[in-house]
Amino acid sequence: MIWVVLALLIFIFQIATILIAEFRHPSKAMAWLLILFVFPVIGFVMYYFLARSFQRRRIVRQRRIISEETRLEALRRSRLLHRPEDLGSGEFREQERMFALLQQFSLPITGCNTTQVLNNGETTYASILEAIAAARHHVHVEYYTVRDDRVGRRFQRALLDKLREGAEVRLIYDGIGSYELSAAYVRELEEAGAQVQCFLAPRIAFFDKRINYRNHRKIVVVDGIVGFVGGINVGDEYVGGNKRLGFWRDTHLRIEGDAVYSLQEVFMRDWWFTARERLTDSRYLPEHGCVGEDQVQLVSSGPDAGPDAIVQSVFAALAVAKRRIYITTPYFVPDKGVLMGLKTAAASGVDVRLILPYVADTRLVMLASLSYVEELLLAGARVYRYHKGFIHSKVMIVDGLLGSVGSANMDLRSFYSNFELNALLFDTRTIEELAQTFMDDLDDCHEIRLAEFAARPRLQKAGEIAARMLSPLL
């Protein structure tokens, strides 16, 4: 009898620990409790190693201090926008509250940029490799996934060429996203003089209880002048090399101008975190002439940050939408606020459209995504599935107010667990270009009809329910 009481007390302790630790995220708490009930001891061990908060760690506080030091230099060199009427979109004149929110984020709204939207892998790689080939002082590269394949070797050769010419090369890759990257690939770069860092290697991250936190950013900065951000990693699949997924539809962004300082700052913070090296040379933040009038704000978020900047920017944009909300995302697992924002907008007459993949790279996440479709359709939103191949773009367009291109999916992992980076774009030309590309993508989509979707098999519905319950952990 005493053993039963002891086991019950231990079980209650485990439940209480999860509830207290996750009281800010009820859906995440419920997902972990489900695992705990199914696997009473194993579930708690998994929670202990996978779900520890990042913000309590001393190294994170140090990282913020370094960020502030580099930030001051970037601000001094940038043309900053301080009033809603300064933005290219006249619609911001009526959005003082949203503008005030964006002003609170750690990276500023800059007004002296040239941007180019890059659709799909080949176009993106060509532009990045061209920029790398022109580098004189440094090349900074940060990716979630780097593969030792045909595309990966193209990147490696470009970096080796720069090293032979005397340029500095730094590379950060994520330990989980690049777990297949060969030691030989890294060794060749290091022997040539590159500095290479793995962001939270799986074995270290597991025992340090941080394996759940991944660096999902995609960053390239060349000489502090040209930068790239978006959804495309380094691998053959991004040029259609995965036979199961086929054609890979994605979106990236090339930037010249003030916003590159913000991009460099994010890289510097991540370099400090991985290498414990401060990059203080003024040539990392060089002077540049004003190359354009595009207005850009980089929005960085992650478990080390205070406010959840990306989800805040998404929610704020949804809340003020009047005409249209177009979203493309490979994974759709929103929190309650974002879901309610979409449903409320659709119910009030806003043209809400969502593009999801038809071919899934992760079956469980796709089932979780589909679990939200019926309630969106009932609210009046329109949902499409992309049939040409796999769509991996992370794009949002709201009215003529803003467009967003970046690494963050419309899911809980990107909102709260991953280190992510989005670019908010405010000039009318780029917003309309993104909107036109969205409409072009609809030509390769099948629209989901409510009656047809409601009649889907019961087994699929059951799978969607299970996946949705686990979705906070996906």
Side-chain angles (χ1 to χ4, degrees), residues 11-260:
F11 190 64
I12 292 173
F13 169 78
Q14 293 173 352
I15 293 174
T17 299
I18 293 174
L19 289 175
I20 292 171
E22 302 297 341
F23 77 97
R24 295 183 185 276
H25 304 290
S27 59
K28 186 177 178 182
M30 291 304 297
W32 278 113
L33 288 176
L34 175 63
I35 293 176
L36 181 63
F37 274 96
V38 177
F39 307 104
V41 178
I42 297 174
F44 189 74
V45 172
M46 291 172 61
Y47 175 80
Y48 179 77
F49 280 104
L50 297 179
R52 183 178 181 182
S53 173
F54 227 95
Q55 292 204 40
R56 300 173 186 170
R57 303 188 61 85
R58 178 171 172 267
I59 185 63
V60 171
R61 294 196 296 271
Q62 292 176 341
R63 187 168 180 257
R64 288 174 181 158
I65 293 170
I66 296 301
S67 172
E68 184 64 21
E69 292 174 355
T70 59
R71 182 173 182 269
L72 295 175
E73 181 67 12
L75 291 175
R76 188 184 71 79
R77 294 179 182 270
S78 299
R79 193 181 87 190
L80 307 182
L81 304 181
H82 299 290
R83 302 177 304 168
E85 53 267 31
D86 291 336
L87 293 179
S89 171
E91 298 180 30
F92 252 100
R93 294 179 180 177
E94 302 174 2
Q95 303 299 338
E96 291 186 359
R97 289 179 59 194
M98 182 175 178
F99 186 83
L101 172 68
L102 298 181
Q103 291 283 78
Q104 295 300 312
F105 295 160
S106 64
L107 302 172
I109 303 174
T110 60
C112 188
N113 302 280
T114 296
T115 60
Q116 179 185 4
V117 177
L118 303 169
N119 291 318
N120 303 323
E122 286 290 3
T123 302
T124 299
Y125 292 150
S127 185
I128 293 175
L129 293 173
E130 180 183 11
I132 291 175
R136 295 185 177 184
H137 179 253
H138 67 270
V139 179
H140 290 163
V141 180
E142 180 174 344
Y143 280 107
Y144 176 67
T145 300
V146 178
R147 301 198 187 281
D148 186 359
D149 55 17
R150 183 176 60 85
V151 168
R153 287 287 169 174
R154 284 171 62 191
F155 265 77
Q156 187 196 52
R157 287 193 298 270
L159 297 178
L160 290 173
D161 287 344
K162 288 293 102 180
L163 288 164
R164 282 190 286 268
E165 294 174 12
E168 299 176 6
V169 171
R170 292 179 178 85
L171 167 65
I172 302 172
Y173 64 92
D174 185 78
I176 294 295
S178 303
Y179 72 95
E180 294 181 341
L181 184 64
S182 69
Y185 185 100
V186 174
R187 187 169 57 252
E188 287 178 48
L189 286 169
E190 290 179 332
E191 289 177 350
Q195 298 182 62
V196 183
Q197 294 292 330
C198 177
F199 187 96
L200 293 180
R203 184 180 302 175
I204 296 173
F206 179 78
F207 288 105
D208 201 24
K209 299 179 283 298
R210 295 184 291 176
I211 199 167
N212 194 46
Y213 303 107
R214 310 314 318 171
N215 190 328
H216 197 240
R217 295 168 180 153
K218 294 88 173 154
I219 297 172
V220 175
V221 179
V222 177
D223 288 343
I225 299 294
V226 180
F228 297 85
V229 64
I232 298 177
N233 289 290
V234 178
D236 286 352
E237 64 264 42
Y238 297 90
V239 290
N242 185 308
K243 293 182 179 180
R244 184 178 70 83
L245 297 177
F247 174 76
W248 189 288
R249 170 74 185 87
D250 220 321
T251 306
H252 222 71
L253 188 71
R254 183 185 191 274
I255 306 171
E256 287 187 64
D258 293 338
V260 180

Side-chain angles (χ1 to χ4, degrees), residues 250-411:
D250 220 321
T251 306
H252 222 71
L253 188 71
R254 183 185 191 274
I255 306 171
E256 287 187 64
D258 293 338
V260 180
Y261 294 147
S262 296
L263 202 58
Q264 185 79 290
E265 180 190 342
V266 175
F267 181 88
M268 285 175 162
R269 293 195 323 233
D270 291 343
W271 187 255
W272 162 253
F273 181 76
T274 56
R276 305 295 190 268
E277 179 190 11
R278 297 175 58 187
L279 303 180
T280 59
D281 192 322
S282 62
R283 286 178 292 181
Y284 299 126
L285 298 169
E287 296 280 3
H288 65 79
C290 188
V291 293
E293 298 297 320
D294 292 352
Q295 297 145 345
V296 180
Q297 181 178 29
L298 275 295
V299 181
S300 170
S301 70
D304 63 325
D308 302 304
I310 286 180
V311 70
Q312 284 186 352
S313 67
V314 170
F315 180 80
L318 299 181
V320 301
K322 295 181 179 179
R323 295 183 290 107
R324 65 182 180 189
I325 299 171
Y326 298 161
I327 295 173
T328 303
T329 181
Y331 316 119
F332 182 72
V333 186
D335 67 359
K336 288 185 178 180
V338 170
L339 181 63
M340 183 57 68
L342 288 169
K343 291 164 60 176
T344 302
S348 62
V350 176
D351 181 13
V352 177
R353 305 192 191 203
L354 175 67
I355 296 179
L356 300 173
Y358 179 77
V359 178
D361 66 334
T362 305
R363 175 65 175 168
L364 187 62
V365 178
M366 178 52 65
L367 284 172
S369 299
L370 292 175
S371 73
Y372 295 93
V373 167
E374 189 165 346
E375 54 190 299
L376 285 173
L377 296 177
L378 287 169
R382 302 176 70 177
V383 183
Y384 304 80
R385 297 188 72 179
Y386 187 82
H387 280 258
K388 187 176 179 179
F390 180 67
I391 193 160
H392 190 253
S393 295
K394 302 99 161 48
V395 173
M396 180 177 71
I397 303 108
V398 176
D399 295 343
L401 198 68
L402 61 81
S404 173
V405 175
S407 67
N409 299 302
M410 199 66 63
D411 67 0

